[in-house]
Amino acid sequence: MGRIDLLADRLVDHPLVDHPLVDHHCHGLVRRDLSRAEFEGMLTEADTPGPPGTTLFDSQIGFAVRRWCAPVLGLPPHAEPDAYLARRVELGHEEVHRRLLSAAGIASFCVDTGFQPEPLTGSADLARWVGGQGFDVARLERIAELAAVDLLTGQIGVGHFAETVRARIAERAPTTIAVKSVAAYRAGLDLPADRPSDREVAAATRTWLGEIRDGAAIRLRDPVLHSFLIWCGVEEKLPVQIHVGYGDADLDLARTNPLLLTGLLRALAPTGASIMLLHCYPFHREAAYLTQVFPNVHLDLGLAIHNTGHGSAALLAEALELAPFAKVLFSTDAFALAELFLLGSTLFRRGLAAFLTAGIDDDAWTFADATRVARLICADNARRVYALP
Amino acid sequence: MGRIDLLADRLVDHPLVDHPLVDHHCHGLVRRDLSRAEFEGMLTEADTPGPPGTTLFDSQIGFAVRRWCAPVLGLPPHAEPDAYLARRVELGHEEVHRRLLSAAGIASFCVDTGFQPEPLTGSADLARWVGGQGFDVARLERIAELAAVDLLTGQIGVGHFAETVRARIAERAPTTIAVKSVAAYRAGLDLPADRPSDREVAAATRTWLGEIRDGAAIRLRDPVLHSFLIWCGVEEKLPVQIHVGYGDADLDLARTNPLLLTGLLRALAPTGASIMLLHCYPFHREAAYLTQVFPNVHLDLGLAIHNTGHGSAALLAEALELAPFAKVLFSTDAFALAELFLLGSTLFRRGLAAFLTAGIDDDAWTFADATRVARLICADNARRVYALP
Amino acid sequence: MGRIDLLADRLVDHPLVDHPLVDHHCHGLVRRDLSRAEFEGMLTEADTPGPPGTTLFDSQIGFAVRRWCAPVLGLPPHAEPDAYLARRVELGHEEVHRRLLSAAGIASFCVDTGFQPEPLTGSADLARWVGGQGFDVARLERIAELAAVDLLTGQIGVGHFAETVRARIAERAPTTIAVKSVAAYRAGLDLPADRPSDREVAAATRTWLGEIRDGAAIRLRDPVLHSFLIWCGVEEKLPVQIHVGYGDADLDLARTNPLLLTGLLRALAPTGASIMLLHCYPFHREAAYLTQVFPNVHLDLGLAIHNTGHGSAALLAEALELAPFAKVLFSTDAFALAELFLLGSTLFRRGLAAFLTAGIDDDAWTFADATRVARLICADNARRVYALP
């Protein structure tokens, strides 16, 4: 994979950040063309459109799409939304994906494949489009929910739930380089600090199965089980990604404050396991504190970058107040729309360049140091944590 | 009402924001001249002056008064506090009101008349001064407290409390365009999500009346009743304003985090009712998240703008990271002092112009788009939500 | 103490902030040379180094050391970490202390002597190095823990605990100008608002002694006793410093939010006692709100300034949104390393100059006002609160 090739089509940025990115947390793309309503529905964390007469294009992310994505589809910057969407359909989703992905300048994709309301492209597809590398992130709750199905259908006994989950994490595909917890969306992040005992796990499992048998959806949302799953990942020596902060209307943002994880992080510190706090907005300063005081904790700004568009540079500067520069990673958290890969990478590069350049202008660090730090944050920190080839 | 007339006396701002404002939440003005101690006491959210030897003029809002209000009273910018206050007395409060209001460039006033520790001017007075329009916002807790008085005096039976409240909201004056909850000051925002049943309302009412009969003040502070009142407004198809975040020493700021409303907002979303989160500081990013994920939720920065003076532009930029631009409104939350109308409008216009201009300079959006967005935020969003003529 | 002498060796800053500082909260310095691991261990709030292959020098504070401290030791700005540490050893810690302290331009040191994992220099030593003044801050929990030892050894009876603590605060050295609470590190800041009764104090003391006799460390962490100690300081008419927010991995950051103190601050307001909220990050906006609405509450940014390096100016601007300028103080919270005195003072002066200059450029205040405000924040507010000579 040549560096030149990867960057050939990319939007020109500052030389400080002019090298391929490792996207340590993203998702696949939809395999079809979209209506305007569908596109708007996938653009932000809102489930539904705004009030009549309003459009999500009138927001930071909407303006960012028009500014940065339109030229890649052959339109002038700031093309009107309808023109943009018409051009998108005209080109077809495959060509749109190819163009936007190529322009994003991402070399490696670590894809969470655990949420697929419709069939999405996989890590190999993404990698193939740009001549990069694809890796997978296994969603812990999905593994547990599939094990629950096996319990319910009698394929395994309730006493074997814990070992089944552990075995399935252990038997992962060679491309699986991390696990991910979505406890933030379910029970919230106020999780038991200590590794739950086998007895506690068995009791929680029985309660959960009872609820399912009484008609509840097969949806894990028990703090003990979320904690157990995280400890399973740690015991398998896998980095554990944890959704933190901002997400869609499904979650209760107050319960996603990373400070709720403090006890668990303190208990995990001696294991040396890498913990990755994803997104973190608007608790990115709290997350940065955790990355400073716990040696194994890292963060990214994930979906907050593309959602805040032109405003995203400020978040990065805030996260980098306390976070050691070896503890900050890049991710797009792109989902469904290839635009989100382009926006995530472009806005991240611009924000990082602005942060580093401001420091150079203020004589806070040298150009040489800034260059080295940019490489850490864009790719090398991820390569170190995930031991990427 | 001519646009030229309204703006004739106003401080010149950026052309992007050079049009009349709709102030969707404010209060009336005092009808008398004030001593320095009285003026300082009304200037900020503090009940009492600072330590001896200090003055609230040494704060963002104090410097903003000297910078922006002094010239309107015919003094040089940055006039000393004593000179400013002497000039204020010299002109008399009516002339001071007239001058500052005219310079504020506000076309429509939506006035919360529910808090009057002394007689204040009404919406019609404010509108008359500038040739604008006046509307009223009814305070829900005040309606309930007046109904409680009728219960206590036997004019209505306890079983009729709920219907009485509903009827009084329904029988509102034609100028009343919204209701407002001050639960933040009372029980806090951790309110029941679901519409309380009639039985729950009756039980809570009986408890409350019992407390009053035992000597408590007639001051509603029951989560069930606050929630009931909000639902009453929604059922009347009225936008509901909710005080959020920053206020005076009376409140417990931690209980005014808008994320505490998440469950209630989720329950209200299907009704389509417009919910207006007022002020929000320092939780404006949290509030902005809510405006993105819930289609019916809006925000303003209210009193945070005039209190943070020169620093207020930063807040606006933070709120506009996530908030869709069709969900952000202008308000002054001016109370008692006409200075607060001038500061609220001037600082808001300057902050919005700075935000939009920075985006133009960064090529994040075009001048045409910025112009359109400015109109939304200054006036058109409020016109849409409140269906103003 | 000549102002010229104090500033002679100092890094040149903006004339607005070119006068001696009062450091109202700091600690002593280590009395020995340090290895790189020891230096990195003392540089931030992390207990342990980061992952292998990473260094805390790659963080805001690390770059700030290289930028600002290296020249004072005779190296070029941005010297490499190894060169810096070699030079440090070459000069010896006494010469390093002397140089960095002289360059810091601090006139008065208020030293918390209550935490000494190894022998540190005292306030008199610090003052002597620069020809300044030294004062002491007594740590409340330390006083109580020493009294507990006396209880355990039978020197005083359990019924005399409260009066013993009060007497020891009353019998303080003449250099002791304040007391400090570290409740944030122990029980958290959700403390009883009202002054605990003697009976409550006695009961809590008995429980605590029982725990110690059962093998617990002599470490006070009872909300009633923390509150009692704060009230003891208030009754002695001493300013009470309270650790708030950011600290090392020992604390649970969520329990250090200053809003948890709201009830206690409300109860303390009528006493007129000065309460000093230390550090406050990332809750500095919340702390600033408290300084506005409670007449006796003040804040500083303490260790957040040196830890956030180049990013620290933004924090100061945020704190100064709401905090009255007569309520903001300077402190370094320097501990063990003289670098932290230099970074704290240099970054604070630069941040304050940037804040005041931006206001002048925006015509928010005049140069004369900015000069006056700078003096308040750099020194005069501390002189007023602590009645320094």
Side-chain angles (χ1 to χ4, degrees), chain B residues 297-385:
Chain B
V297 177
H298 304 70
L299 69 80
D300 73 30
L301 291 166
L303 60 82
I305 295 288
H306 61 249
N307 269 286
T308 59
H310 165 63
S312 59
L315 315 191
L316 200 54
E318 288 175 350
L320 290 168
E321 284 165 355
L322 271 198
F325 300 165
K327 304 297 229 29
V328 177
L329 281 78
F330 164 73
S331 85
T332 60
D333 195 40
F335 181 87
L337 303 181
E339 280 81 356
L340 303 182
F341 280 113
L342 183 74
L343 293 185
S345 59
T346 302
L347 294 167
F348 186 83
R349 278 199 180 91
R350 287 172 60 86
L352 186 58
F355 172 79
L356 293 171
T357 304
I360 294 169
D361 292 346
D362 193 38
D363 198 20
W365 42 69
T366 64
F367 187 87
D369 278 320
T371 304
R372 191 170 52 78
V373 166
R375 284 208 192 102
L376 288 176
I377 294 177
C378 286
D380 289 356
N381 289 337
R383 292 212 174 91
R384 184 190 74 239
V385 170

Side-chain angles (χ1 to χ4, degrees), chain A residues 259 266 285 289 292-293 295 320-322 324-327 355 358-359 362-366 369 372-373 376 384, chain C residues 44 46 48-49 51 54 58 60 63 66-67 78 246-251 253 281 284 307-308 310 315 318 350:
Chain A
L259 296 182
R266 194 174 285 128
R285 280 173 158 165
Y289 157 78
Q292 192 197 52
V293 299
L320 290 167
E321 285 166 355
L322 271 199
F325 300 164
K327 304 298 231 26
F355 171 79
D362 195 36
D363 198 20
W365 41 70
T366 64
D369 278 321
R372 191 170 54 79
V373 166
L376 288 176
R384 184 189 73 238
Chain C
T44 75
T48 46
T54 74
D58 279 343
Q60 291 276 14
F63 284 108
R66 293 170 54 195
R67 167 63 187 92
H78 312 296
Y246 180 41
D248 65 33
D250 227 27
L251 57 70
L253 190 60
Y281 185 87
H284 44 291
N307 269 286
T308 60
H310 166 62
L315 314 191
E318 289 174 351
R350 287 171 60 86

